[in-house]
Amino acid sequence: MTATAAPPAPVPAKTAPVRRRRRWHRIVIPFALATVLVTVTLLTHAADQPDAGDRGFLSPVATGDDGGSRLAEALRGQGVTVQRETDTLRALLALDGRPATLFVPAPELLHPDTVGALGDLPAGSRLVLVDPSRRVLESVDLPVAPTDRRWAARAVDPEADGRPCPLPEADRAGTAAVRLQGYAAAGGYAGDLRRCYSGGLVHLPWAADVVVIGASDPFRNDRIGEWGNEALSTGLLGVRGRVVWLDLDGPAPPPHFGTGSSGPPAWSPAPGGSTTWGDGSGTGDGGPAGGGPGGPGDGGDSDEQDRADGPQPEENPLWSAFPPWFWALLLQLALAALLVVLWRARRLGPPVGEPLPVQVRAAETVLGRARLYQQARARGPAAGTLRAATLDRLLTRLNLPATTPPAEVAAFVAARAGGTADEVHELLYGAEPSTDAELLALARSLDRVTRTVTAAPDHPTEGDPR
């Protein structure tokens, strides 16, 4: 006998490599949500921060959150004269050599041809600039340069950087919300630069001393009552007893030039005024010698000029009923709710069948499903489930096909369990119960019929003796 070689084992066929489905959305969605969150935060911060170009920003007659009416009232309460001017040249003429403080809350709105005149104020006066930019500081020829800028104004102590603050007004006010924009000495300047609030306030004690402050918070209506803001703002502006408040609604127009009686051309205010500056001959309404509204002879705030500016536009009362931080918080809560909805409704892939980690008893499953039906008040579906289970047992017990007509099923069941065919038909195929009591009675009747039919001795089941 010769041994036959065993057939070679079949070579398993190479299976195609399983291509993993790239779940690109798992990377895109988190980054998209983070981008949306950062964008909304930036937009909310930009909307919450006041803009110097907004109408009524630090205006002595504006009562909004960004206005300065509370500061003006506090100054008048201390006996300080507040003179409002809406033209740069009129404000400069209003100083006229008498002690006064020129308050410029929005230096960026000054025209480049007139901003340089702020460096030639008469002796004994004070210039207060709020958050000036590098362009303004260089145009006024101030040896000050902006440094770091914060996200929001911070309340700090005048000696926060460990250096004593030589300005009495700041020392009396104490902690104030000044540290938004920091300032330091410009390169090459070796003079006396008096810094307070960790560089948030700079004082130059010249013939006309200059105060540069890096935040508008101490002057605004919505922040003046915090910390020592009111004491600082009234101290800076009221030290001379008179304040010339330059209130610009927008970018200042270029100056108009006219020819004086002798010498070079002279500056004049915007059209509509007769005051000139340069030769001293202009003594029209509002000029140095005129004593009209807006001139130095006014002696108080220009009420007639305020009324001539026209009515202020009406604001939506809904927006003014709540502070800006409320709307920002509401927007962030809405975004958070949207993220929660997206997280709860996420569907990042197809459903995957997994084995149950534990075995659940049938009684617990039935009880849990029954409670769900009860909570949803689904009496109809519950009755349908009970009837379907009963019919399945009865048809199996009676050896009837599933396609047996209801009338025949009712007749067979009535013959085994008793009663009429109509009663059994109503029990197995009747209407839905309308109350929990009817559903309970239906369940008991179905259970009784099932037990009666399945217990019949003439229909043995699997395992019974035949």
Side-chain angles (χ1 to χ4, degrees), residues 86 162 249 405 425:
T86 59
D249 289 338
H425 188 278

Side-chain angles (χ1 to χ4, degrees), residues 251-287:
H256 294 263
F257 293 91
T259 304
S261 58
S262 62
W267 281 348
S268 65
S274 58
T275 302
T276 60
W277 182 38
D279 59 357
S281 62
T283 58
D285 185 17

Side-chain angles (χ1 to χ4, degrees), residues 32 36 66 76-77 95 112 132 153 180 196 223 228 262-263 302 369 403 410:
V36 171
D66 300 338
R76 295 189 189 100
L95 298 178
L180 176 64
C196 302
R223 300 294 303 276
S262 62
S302 307
R369 189 171 181 180
T403 58

